[in-house]
């Protein structure tokens, strides 16, 4: 395999390829729609994909990096580097509308509000924190009568809710 | 190599690593499935944070030690974690109280570090503080639920807070490392976190109908490697495989 066509492959083309790389734990949302891809650029003959992790300890991070390398190399790009960038910290605000819709269709409620500022400068008001009761609409029946069952669900990025109308329990992708 | 910065990074990393290991011991033993999942997810966040801090510590040291070398091949006296995180899990109320007192401090120190003069430290703190805010929200909620629960749970939570209280002072005591890091803008001054921490803890204890303990003496030593007996036992578990089969991989 060589880099014959590499210089001609545009950033948009690479992003389109990456649009088919799904998150291993939420296999209906791509790494692009999750907002994990921060940059795609050529450095000489090497393609550099800059990725930001979701949660510090997310075990999917390494699988995602490998899936990205595989997807790009499958198109004949020989040299690819996946670089990790921590700042600015990933936020669910970067999730695309397409990603949110795909989550809902899959039975996972998407984040319902904008995430808190990450720079630590924002005052943290304990009373607001504890009184905070976000309304998470049920992804099955759209009822707004739902309740939090557990602050963590199947993965660090989700919480567990239940619908009081259709009674279905469901995962909620937390605003982060 | 900046030795004070290295020391500071080890403190942050070791706090996360040791507490993560403690919480992981609850896996499969939580009082409810949801709690089991939640604690192990918090453990996972802390492990990820430990990896970032220790990787950076290894780079700062410049002797080729990576996160694994620092986690698995240092003895207890080389660990720089606060004593509170190595205190035994005890019953669930002890684990919750330990987490709550720590989360409240951790959130403030990370908020301070997120504007560190060292860009790499600021990046890790900005990433971590988002996770730790959530940890705090959860542990504070549990303190309130258990404090207001039954006479039995109330009494156990009050006892848990009093048991851990002597360990909740070490983080505000400034030593040479803290002072050097504060004066260069690397880290917030350790004593400056005391007032906001107290206010936050008091607000939650108040809602939980729990009493804030008065001064009942305090323990120190973790930051300079003088630990309670519990750390050694924890490290035998944590380090056994790598000590026995160095370099073993999954």
């Amino acid at each position: 395999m060589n880099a014959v066509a590499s210089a001609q492959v545009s950033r948009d083309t690479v992003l389109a390829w990456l649009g088919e790389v799904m998150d291993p734990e939420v296999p209906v949302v791509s790494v692009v729609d999750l907002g994990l891809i921060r940059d795609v650029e050529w450095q000489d003959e090497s393609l550099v994909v800059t990725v930001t992790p979701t949660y510090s300890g997310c075990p999917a991070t390494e699988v995602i990096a490998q899936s990205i390398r595989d997807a790009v190399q499958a198109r004949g790009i020989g040299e690819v580097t996946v670089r990790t960038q921590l700042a600015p910290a990933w936020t669910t605000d970067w999730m695309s509308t397409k990603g949110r819709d795909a989550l809902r269709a899959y039975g996972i409620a998407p984040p319902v509000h904008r995430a808190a500022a990450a720079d630590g400068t924002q005052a943290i008001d304990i009373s607001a924190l504890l009184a905070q009761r976000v309304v998470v609409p049920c992804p099955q029946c759209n009822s707004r009568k739902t309740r939090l069952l557990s602050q963590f669900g199947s993965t660090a990025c989700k919480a567990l809710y239940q619908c009081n109308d259709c009674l279905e329990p469901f995962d909620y992708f937390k605003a982060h | 190599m900046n030795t004070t910065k290295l020391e500071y990074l080890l403190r942050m990393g070791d706090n996360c690593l040791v507490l993560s290991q403690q919480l992981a011991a609850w896996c499969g033993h939580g009082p409810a499935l949801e709690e089991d999942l939640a604690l192990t997810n918090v453990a996972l966040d802390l492990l990820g944070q430990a990896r970032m801090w220790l990787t950076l510590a290894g780079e700062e040291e410049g002797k080729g030690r990576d996160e694994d070398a620092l986690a698995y091949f240092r003895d207890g006296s080389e660990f720089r974690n606060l004593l509170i995180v190595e205190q035994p899990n005890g019953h669930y109320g002890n684990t919750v109280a330990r987490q709550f007192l720590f989360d409240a401090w951790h959130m403030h120190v990370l908020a301070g570090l997120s504007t560190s003069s060292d860009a790499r430290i600021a990046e890790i703190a900005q990433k971590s503080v988002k996770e730790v805010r959530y940890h705090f929200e959860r542990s504070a909620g549990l303190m309130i639920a258990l404090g207001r629960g039954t006479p039995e749970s109330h009494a156990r939570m009050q006892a848990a807070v009093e048991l851990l209280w002597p360990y909740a002072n070490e983080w505000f005591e400034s030593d040479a490392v803290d002072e050097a890091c504060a004066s260069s803008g690397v880290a917030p001054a350790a004593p400056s976190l005391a007032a906001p921490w107290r206010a936050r803890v008091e607000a939650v204890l108040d809602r939980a109908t729990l009493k804030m303990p008065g001064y009942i003496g305090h323990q120190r030593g973790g930051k300079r490697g003088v630990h309670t007996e519990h750390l050694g036992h924890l490290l035998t578990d944590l380090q056994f495989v790598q000590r026995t089969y160095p370099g073993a991989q999954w």
Side-chain angles (χ1 to χ4, degrees):
Chain A
M1 223 173 274
N2 59 45
V4 178
S6 60
Q8 286 86 7
V9 176
S10 70
R11 177 190 156 89
D12 286 347
T13 304
V14 176
L15 283 174
W17 295 343
L18 298 180
E20 292 169 25
V21 176
M22 297 296 149
D23 179 284
E25 284 172 344
V26 191
V28 292
V29 183
S30 76
V31 292
V32 174
D33 288 317
L34 271 176
L36 301 185
I37 308 297
R38 305 314 297 155
D39 202 6
V40 172
E41 59 176 348
W42 286 98
Q43 286 184 354
D44 300 324
E45 291 302 303
S46 179
L47 182 68
V48 179
V49 180
T50 305
V51 179
T52 195
T54 53
Y55 284 77
S56 303
C58 180
T61 306
E62 282 160 35
V63 178
I64 288 171
Q66 189 57 46
S67 305
I68 289 170
R69 275 191 289 271
D70 291 347
V72 174
Q73 287 174 332
R75 267 79 172 198
I77 307 295
E79 270 188 68
V80 53
T81 305
V82 178
R83 180 188 292 159
T84 300
Q85 177 183 306
L86 291 181
W90 175 76
T91 163
T92 44
D93 295 348
W94 295 341
M95 197 184 290
S96 70
T97 305
K98 183 182 162 206
R100 286 164 199 268
D101 291 345
L103 275 181
R104 200 179 294 108
Y106 190 62
I108 299 173
V112 294
H113 61 83
R114 292 187 69 78
D119 60 8
T121 52
Q122 180 186 324
I124 301 163
D125 174 9
I126 172 68
S127 54
L129 207 60
L130 297 173
Q132 191 178 41
R133 288 285 175 265
V134 294
V135 176
V136 179
C138 172
Q140 310 291 346
C141 72
N142 286 322
S143 166
R144 294 172 62 81
K145 292 179 194 148
T146 62
R147 66 196 172 97
L148 175 72
L149 289 184
S150 174
Q151 278 145 317
F152 286 94
S154 54
T155 60
C157 55
K158 300 190 214 93
L160 194 61
Y161 273 71
Q162 184 170 20
C163 178
N164 291 338
D165 280 333
C166 74
L167 303 181
E168 280 292 314
F170 62 91
D171 266 335
Y172 165 53
F173 205 113
K174 301 174 321 202
H176 180 79
Chain B
M1 171 172 53
N2 178 332
T3 51
T4 52
K5 199 183 281 184
L6 170 61
E7 282 286 311
Y8 199 91
L9 291 168
L10 289 175
R11 291 174 183 185
M12 293 305 296
D14 290 345
N15 282 335
C16 295
L17 179 65
V18 170
L19 189 54
S20 173
Q21 177 76 5
Q22 296 267 56
L23 295 180
W26 277 105
C27 185
H29 301 275
L33 184 58
E34 291 79 4
E35 285 304 308
D36 205 291
L37 278 171
L39 272 189
T40 41
N41 270 302
V42 172
L44 203 55
D45 282 344
L46 290 171
L47 187 62
Q49 294 171 17
R51 293 182 63 183
M52 296 191 287
W53 291 122
L54 293 181
T55 295
L56 186 54
E59 287 169 13
E60 188 66 40
E61 186 188 47
K63 291 182 182 167
R65 290 205 284 183
D66 63 4
E67 48 178 305
D68 287 341
L70 289 170
Y72 296 127
F73 297 100
R74 278 182 302 150
D75 290 334
S77 60
E78 296 168 274
F79 273 72
R80 295 291 182 259
N81 59 279
L82 297 159
L83 298 179
I84 194 168
V85 296
E86 70 198 40
Q87 297 312 300
N89 282 342
H91 59 62
Y92 202 67
N94 293 123
T95 292
V96 168
R98 183 186 63 198
Q99 194 67 34
F100 164 68
L101 296 173
F102 178 78
D103 287 344
W105 172 79
H106 201 199
M107 186 167 63
H108 280 290
V109 76
L110 288 172
L113 289 171
S114 68
T115 54
S116 171
S117 59
D118 183 315
R120 299 166 308 167
I121 290 177
E123 284 186 356
I124 296 174
Q126 286 166 18
K127 180 92 198 142
S128 304
V129 73
K130 297 178 65 163
E131 294 161 1
V132 171
R133 280 172 69 120
Y134 197 75
H135 299 172
F136 174 74
E137 186 181 350
R138 197 187 98 80
S139 59
L142 276 173
M143 288 298 291
I144 293 168
L146 292 169
R148 300 177 76 101
T150 63
E152 174 72 17
S153 73
H154 174 91
R156 283 183 176 229
M157 292 316 292
Q158 186 66 49
V161 170
E162 283 166 20
L163 182 72
L164 291 162
W165 202 247
Y167 298 96
N169 204 55
E170 190 184 9
W171 41 45
F172 305 129
E173 287 188 336
S174 215
D175 63 8
V177 171
D178 291 312
E179 279 160 22
C181 288
S183 65
S184 58
V186 166
S192 72
L193 305 176
W197 179 87
R198 273 190 81 87
R200 191 170 304 281
V201 166
E202 193 161 22
V204 174
L205 292 184
D206 192 51
R207 276 170 183 249
T209 68
L210 295 169
K211 279 200 284 293
M212 188 109 160
Y215 181 75
I216 40 179
H218 75 274
Q219 303 288 343
R220 65 167 74 90
K223 291 200 282 193
R224 57 189 160 92
V226 180
H227 292 279
T228 57
E229 65 173 298
H230 311 294
L231 182 68
H233 295 289
L234 180 140
L235 292 180
T236 56
D237 255 357
L238 176 72
Q239 299 181 333
F240 174 78
V241 173
Q242 284 299 323
R243 296 273 188 171
T244 312
Y245 307 100
Q249 293 195 328
W250 290 112

